Amino acid sequence: MATASVAFKSREDHRKQLELEEARKAGLAPAEVDEDGKEINPHIPQYMSSAPWYLNAERPSLKHQRKWKSDPNYTKSWYDRGAKIYQADKYRKGASKWTNMHIGPDEKIESFELDYDGKRDRWNGFDPATYVLVIERYEARDEARRKYLKEQHLKKLEEKNSKQNGEGGVSDEDDDEDALKMDFAKVKKRVRTTGGGSTGTVRNLRIWEDTAKYLLNLDINSAYYDPKTQSMREDPLPDADPNEKFYGGDNQNRLSGQALEFKQLNVHAWEAFEKGQDIHLQAAPSQAELLYKNYKVIKEKLKSRLKDTIAEKYGNAASKEEIPRELLLGQSERQVEYDHAGRIIQGVESFLPRSKYEEDVYINNHTSVWGSWWKDHQWGYKCCEQTIKNSYCTGAAGIEAAEAAVDLMKANVAPKAASEDMCAPAEEKNLATWGTDVPDNLNLDQKQLAEALRKEDERKKEEKDERKRKYNVRWNDEVTAEEMEAYRMKKIHHDDPMKDFLH
């Protein structure tokens, strides 16, 4: 918010000022107005809207952000070249003294007070209309050059035709001269050689009248142009008509012609090497190319053999054999006339084609065919809803009997399922360490149990470290209840999900 010179404000005034700024940003309060009556954008940062203290601004303004130190005396005008103001007709000091002839007009003399930039502007006072003369001069030179080249070309053609009529042949020297007169200019530049470099002639393959590839599409999201390699791989104009565009990206050359064949040859060499064949494209290129040619021949033979096999088995609809017109169009030129009742008066009625299987044949008293009904992933008869193919039709009575049987089955299964849900929980049996039931009168001595746990820990440490195992090991077959309980407590159960946290 634009503010005047900084003054002391209390906390309450500062809070109200902040609330007013927020209301102005939200559009709830009108914007602040400067000295000229223009509204000030409330979203301008304070460091831009606050005026310096030395300006002593009494009202909010953005004038300090404008060029307020400009001198109105400075001008950007220039001398009026060639302007004449007066021409004398008799002697004046400095003119022709004796003859009063060749007295030129007075030139217009002007003086300007330019600023720093105006004094150093090298294009100040330049008239663009004067450059038209330069353009016309160069166009006239180019036109004369084209005319001269055309005359020379016609002269060469006349000489060529005269030689053909006289000698009946064309010399190779004329062909060489025509090849050298192509639009590709020769550019002399430094060529790197093994001897340290030498000046050579390199043919420049670009026609300078053509548009550069990076100027075909100026969209920033178009194909990327690498200035270092002067390459553009993608198509800069993918939506343009392919018949009208002359450049489709560098990938167009990589995916066509001999480049594509070499890529396929390289891929074939890699795959053959992975499958165990001793082949290397760089070490033995002739061998790799010969193997690739043999591979293509064998592949074509296999494809043609497979095609012939499929054609023999299923036929070939694209063969040259003529298909009957009745099958091709589904109609014929036979004329049949009917009366109002639908009876045939003239002609023969056309029969509908039938399959080799029997149709509309009902067996075993069925009134529908097999497959006219579907339920629970099974086919059946719709008339009796049976899923057995050669069964006898029972009609509506069979359907009712089947539904009654299903209801009876559900009624018998329901009590059993309810009884299983209401079954009593199994009694938990506390098993002893030996696998039998724990007797009621079993009492464990806590001191002996602690001692047994300590011995069990020592035994496990000896098992982990064989160096601590003693030579004379004495076994005691007598196992107390406390020792068995300690073993059970220290034993690792593999099904225990917390076994990794035990120590």
Side-chain angles (χ1 to χ4, degrees):
M1 186 190 74
T3 57
S5 58
V6 180
F8 176 76
K9 295 182 180 179
S10 62
R11 182 178 298 178
E12 185 66 22
D13 295 339
H14 185 66
R15 184 182 62 80
K16 290 181 180 180
Q17 185 68 23
L18 292 178
E19 292 178 356
L20 181 60
E21 291 179 1
E22 294 295 333
R24 286 173 176 168
K25 290 180 181 180
L28 303 177
E32 196 172 10
V33 181
D34 60 359
E35 298 176 353
D36 300 333
K38 299 180 181 179
E39 294 183 353
I40 300 176
N41 190 349
H43 298 281
I44 295 178
Q46 186 178 4
Y47 73 90
M48 295 176 61
S49 60
S50 299
W53 59 270
Y54 51 82
L55 294 180
N56 297 323
E58 298 179 355
R59 294 190 58 187
S61 175
L62 294 177
K63 191 178 293 185
H64 59 280
Q65 292 290 347
R66 302 185 183 93
K67 190 177 180 181
W68 52 279
K69 281 188 176 182
S70 59
D71 192 350
N73 297 325
Y74 290 151
T75 179
K76 291 186 178 180
S77 58
W78 199 245
Y79 302 102
D80 191 3
R81 298 181 180 181
K84 310 298 181 181
I85 56 176
Y86 176 73
Q87 183 173 2
D89 53 359
K90 60 181 181 179
Y91 168 75
R92 288 190 304 176
K93 186 177 181 180
S96 299
K97 185 174 181 181
W98 308 106
T99 61
N100 290 332
M101 297 174 61
H102 306 291
I103 300 176
D106 296 340
E107 295 183 356
K108 185 179 180 180
I109 300 175
E110 298 177 285
S111 61
F112 302 105
E113 186 177 358
L114 302 175
D115 55 357
Y116 182 85
D117 295 333
K119 292 178 182 178
R120 290 157 180 80
D121 187 6
R122 58 193 298 263
W123 294 103
N124 195 355
F126 174 73
D127 187 8
T130 58
Y131 195 73
V132 177
L133 301 176
V134 180
I135 297 175
E136 292 177 354
R137 185 171 69 252
Y138 275 93
E139 288 180 351
R141 188 191 66 177
D142 294 341
E143 183 66 25
R145 181 174 177 272
R146 282 194 295 268
K147 186 177 180 180
Y148 174 75
L149 292 177
K150 186 177 180 180
E151 293 176 355
Q152 293 293 328
H153 186 63
L154 292 175
K155 188 182 295 185
K156 291 288 184 181
L157 290 177
E158 292 177 357
E159 294 177 359
K160 190 175 183 181
N161 293 332
S162 62
K163 287 183 179 179
Q164 287 181 355
N165 297 330
E167 300 177 2
V170 181
S171 62
D172 296 336
E173 295 180 358
D174 295 338
D175 296 338
D176 296 339
E177 291 180 1
D178 294 338
L180 293 175
K181 287 185 178 181
M182 297 178 66
D183 292 335
F184 304 109
K186 287 186 177 180
V187 180
K188 289 187 177 181
K189 65 178 183 179
R190 200 74 174 173
V191 181
R192 294 183 180 179
T193 60
T194 56
S198 62
T199 301
T201 303
V202 180
R203 190 176 297 279
N204 187 9
L205 298 180
R206 180 186 168 191
I207 303 175
W208 295 106
E209 286 78 8
D210 294 342
T211 306
K213 61 180 72 174
Y214 53 84
L215 296 178
L216 294 175
N217 191 352
L218 300 179
D219 188 5
I220 58 175
N221 296 324
S222 62
Y224 173 72
Y225 174 74
D226 187 8
K228 185 176 181 180
T229 59
Q230 297 182 359
S231 62
M232 181 182 290
R233 297 190 177 184
E234 298 181 3
D235 188 1
L237 300 172
D239 300 331
D241 187 5
N243 298 325
E244 296 180 358
K245 61 182 179 182
F246 64 92
Y247 179 74
D250 296 341
N251 288 338
Q252 184 180 9
N253 299 329
R254 298 184 180 185
L255 302 178
S256 61
Q258 296 181 353
L260 182 60
E261 295 178 0
F262 180 76
K263 184 178 180 181
Q264 294 174 353
L265 175 62
N266 206 353
V267 172
H268 173 262
W270 293 341
E271 294 178 352
F273 182 77
E274 291 178 355
K275 293 179 180 178
Q277 294 189 12
D278 189 8
I279 178 175
H280 197 280
L281 182 60
Q282 283 73 29
S286 301
Q287 178 189 6
E289 187 174 359
L290 181 61
L291 290 176
Y292 182 57
K293 289 182 178 179
N294 296 336
Y295 165 76
K296 289 195 294 184
V297 172
I298 296 173
K299 185 177 180 180
E300 289 295 331
K301 289 182 179 179
L302 291 176
K303 287 176 65 177
S304 60
R305 188 183 305 171
L306 179 62
K307 184 178 179 180
D308 295 340
T309 304
I310 295 175
E312 289 179 3
K313 186 174 182 180
Y314 299 102
N316 188 3
S319 61
K320 297 182 179 179
E321 299 177 359
E322 294 184 359
I323 302 175
R325 188 177 181 85
E326 293 81 4
L327 297 179
L328 182 62
L329 302 177
Q331 60 185 2
S332 64
E333 296 181 355
R334 294 194 304 269
Q335 183 177 359
V336 182
E337 294 183 5
Y338 297 88
D339 58 2
H340 295 286
R343 293 185 296 269
I344 298 176
I345 300 175
Q346 182 182 358
V348 181
E349 184 179 5
S350 59
F351 295 95
L352 295 176
R354 301 173 64 89
S355 64
K356 65 179 181 179
Y357 301 100
E358 295 180 350
E359 296 182 1
D360 300 333
V361 177
Y362 306 109
I363 60 174
N364 297 335
N365 200 30
H366 288 286
T367 58
S368 60
V369 296
W370 168 261
S372 59
W373 186 68
W374 168 266
K375 185 178 181 182
D376 297 337
H377 303 281
Q378 290 183 344
W379 293 104
Y381 297 97
K382 186 177 181 180
C383 54
C384 58
E385 297 184 0
Q386 294 194 56
T387 57
I388 301 174
K389 186 172 184 180
N390 294 324
S391 61
Y392 191 81
C393 182
T394 56
I399 296 175
E400 294 177 359
E403 292 178 355
V406 172
D407 295 339
L408 181 61
M409 185 185 297
K410 290 181 179 179
N412 294 333
V413 171
K416 185 177 181 181
S419 62
E420 291 179 355
D421 295 339
M422 298 296 294
C423 62
E427 296 181 357
E428 296 181 0
K429 295 183 178 180
N430 190 9
L431 300 179
T433 55
W434 294 275
T436 59
D437 295 342
V438 178
D440 298 335
N441 56 356
L442 179 61
N443 295 322
L444 297 176
D445 190 356
Q446 298 298 327
K447 293 183 179 180
Q448 295 181 1
L449 180 59
E451 183 66 21
L453 290 172
R454 186 183 62 79
K455 292 181 179 180
E456 185 66 19
D457 291 338
E458 293 177 356
R459 186 182 67 81
K460 287 186 176 293
K461 289 181 181 180
E462 291 179 358
E463 289 180 357
K464 291 181 180 179
D465 192 359
E466 295 183 355
R467 294 176 298 177
K468 295 184 179 180
R469 180 178 295 178
K470 300 178 181 179
Y471 291 101
N472 299 326
V473 179
R474 288 181 292 181
W475 297 92
N476 188 5
D477 296 337
E478 297 180 359
V479 180
T480 61
E482 289 79 7
E483 292 177 351
M484 201 63 190
E485 182 67 17
Y487 171 76
R488 185 187 66 80
M489 295 172 65
K490 295 293 183 179
K491 182 181 178 182
I492 297 176
H493 298 275
H494 296 284
D495 297 337
D496 188 5
M498 302 296 291
K499 64 178 181 180
D500 295 334
F501 298 95
L502 298 176
H503 54 82

